[in-house]
Amino acid sequence: MPSLHGAVILVTGANGGIGTHSVHQALARGAAKVYAPARTPRTWDDERVVPLTLDVTDGESIAAAVAAAPDVTALINNAGAIPPSASLLEVTEADIRENMEINFFGPVLLARAFAQVLAANPRSILVDAHSVASWYGFGGAYSATKAALWSATNSLRLGLAPRGVHVTGVHMGNVQTAWPHMPTGPRWRRPTS
């Protein structure tokens, strides 16, 4: 398993919750630099953190992030969203499609875009943030998107292993951040990170 000591890490969704925690933990574990992308990047109080503009649903934005971060050795696909209803029968088609764009297509397209960068750096890592909701249907569209990402992560592992890239998925449950629970009503918002 690769080490984070001296690593150059890019954490999507860095503005809040698990993303912010991941940035701090990467630095605490010896990362040399952490790119902290978000649609609207924030300022950080550590010179090792490099804010980047990134919308995971926009191909041009992804390409710009790859150009701005050519030294990445660890890509953490963390950015995500939860639709306003846990029910596939109640959520709108537009919300289902947006959730798939953010939770599935975004991480997959980022992994594809950064594949050459990661392969050029020995002992590089790709981490996809799944959810325990990918194992169960209680999360409706959210569960479906995370299950799809889980499957894609397995395919990415097979494709990137010969290039020396370690690929793993993290199935998180409730965590002590600002975003620990599944939705129970119309409180959904597209994340600010």
Side-chain angles (χ1 to χ4, degrees):
M1 176 83 170
S3 167
L4 295 183
H5 184 73
V8 177
I9 301 173
L10 187 143
V11 181
T12 66
N15 272 7
I18 295 167
T20 298
H21 185 73
S22 296
V23 169
H24 292 300
Q25 286 299 307
L27 294 172
R29 286 171 165 68
K33 183 192 314 183
V34 180
Y35 291 102
R39 283 179 286 127
T40 306
R42 67 177 221 189
T43 57
W44 295 80
D45 60 359
D46 190 313
E47 64 186 24
R48 296 173 295 171
V49 180
V50 179
L52 280 180
T53 300
L54 173 62
D55 179 344
V56 300
T57 67
D58 180 87
E60 289 181 10
S61 183
I62 291 171
V66 173
D71 53 346
V72 167
T73 61
L75 170 60
I76 301 175
N77 274 321
N78 163 72
I82 299 176
S85 170
S87 171
L88 274 173
L89 300 175
E90 296 171 6
V91 70
T92 68
E93 179 182 343
D95 285 334
I96 292 171
R97 290 182 183 280
E98 181 177 39
N99 207 235
M100 192 60 116
E101 286 289 337
I102 296 167
N103 292 350
F104 175 76
F105 288 114
V108 170
L109 295 176
L110 272 162
R112 287 168 44 106
F114 273 98
Q116 284 188 302
V117 171
L118 293 172
N121 293 292
R123 300 179 51 85
S124 58
I125 310 165
L126 168 64
V127 179
D128 285 337
H130 305 155
S131 169
V132 295
S134 63
W135 299 336
Y136 307 104
F138 67 81
Y142 179 77
S143 291
T145 62
K146 290 300 187 173
L149 179 58
W150 178 15
S151 181
T153 301
N154 289 329
S155 295
L156 289 166
R157 181 179 300 111
L158 294 174
L160 290 171
R163 300 180 190 188
V165 180
H166 183 87
V167 178
T168 192
V170 180
H171 293 267
M172 287 178 261
N174 282 345
V175 293
Q176 293 180 351
T177 70
W179 196 320
H181 303 289
M182 290 300 302
T184 56
R187 60 191 176 122
W188 176 81
R189 61 181 168 70
R190 187 166 177 181
T192 58
S193 53

